[in-house]
Amino acid sequence: MITSIKNPLIKEIRKLHQSKARHDRQELILEGTNLITAACEINYEINIICCTEDWQTKHPQLWQKATKKSQRQEVVTPEIMEAIATTVNPDGVIATAPRKYPRVSQLPPNLGLIIERLQDPGNLGTIIRTAVATGVDALWLSEDSVDLDHPKVLRASTGAWFKLSMGMTSSLSSLIKNYQQQGTQIIATLPQAEKTYWDLDLTIPSIILIGNEGAGLSTELASLADQRVKIPQINEAESLNVAIATALILYEALRQRMILQ
């Protein structure tokens, strides 16, 4: 059992709390029972898994599955678990795993998301979860956004992170133009648009452009769109949270597509 915070392995895991270390080592952190379960379900490779004795006792079958898929296994004290976890009250298990993205097909998506300069990891995790629930094929993120493998992104996605094709790119405009040339409808979400998202035909191949939480879409990306739509609001309400706005449009796409089935 590892009992010292000075243990070399513990030091290396704690470094992965930082984006630079995750990029340099091409590793990410999987924290909590839900994420470990999701990783095991799709046979996602695990480098190192650490758990407390209490967690090991409560989850013998999951521990057995995880150990078969991991290169190294360690039992640690609750104090060490708190030191390597990114949450305040960890549930007793954490693992490191390879970064495996971009993992996006070169084929145009039937329903896709392109997100520009998103900053909040909770928002991105929620969007990923909603995207999987509504049948999104692919999600692209600008490189100046929050990391796809930010620990909070993975936790907020509640396992959906493993089920969605995702990537980051330095040129969203090039990506958009490429998909347009292949016949994909590009939709910009803008508060000043005349159309509402209800007016769209979302049964055809479509990509929805989502902007920064505060500033929205850049003029450059908005100008490339085939359609510009808003989410109607009354009583001069503040603009909707980006994850909620995305969910509304995605579920409208799902509704329209289910009618055709």
Side-chain angles (χ1 to χ4, degrees), residues 228-256:
R228 297 171 182 81
V229 297
K230 65 182 177 182
I231 296 173
Q233 299 183 68
I234 60 175
N235 299 328
E236 298 182 357
E238 291 289 334
S239 60
L240 293 175
N241 169 273
V242 65
I244 292 175
T246 304
L248 287 171
I249 299 173
L250 290 180
Y251 271 100
E252 174 62 13
L254 178 61
R255 184 192 70 82
Q256 292 185 20

Side-chain angles (χ1 to χ4, degrees), residues 13 29-32 36 48-50 81 84-86 92-96:
I13 293 176
I29 291 179
L30 305 177
E31 184 176 342
I36 301 300
I48 301 165
I49 184 166
C50 300
M81 180 57 61
I84 58 178
T86 62
V93 65
I94 193 168
T96 66

Side-chain angles (χ1 to χ4, degrees), residues 154-210:
L154 276 88
R155 292 198 308 274
S157 75
T158 63
W161 190 90
F162 297 100
K163 301 175 183 179
L164 182 62
S165 296
M166 298 182 291
M168 301 187 83
T169 178
S170 60
S171 180
L172 292 181
S173 58
S174 297
L175 189 68
I176 291 168
K177 291 174 183 176
N178 178 54
Y179 283 138
Q180 273 179 320
Q181 291 172 359
Q182 298 178 70
T184 304
Q185 173 180 230
I186 306 298
I187 302 163
T189 51
L190 299 167
Q192 67 271 27
E194 294 184 5
K195 284 185 178 181
T196 72
Y197 70 102
W198 300 324
D199 299 320
L200 290 175
D201 179 1
L202 293 168
T203 63
I204 63 176
S206 303
I207 292 177
I208 301 162
L209 308 182
I210 304 296

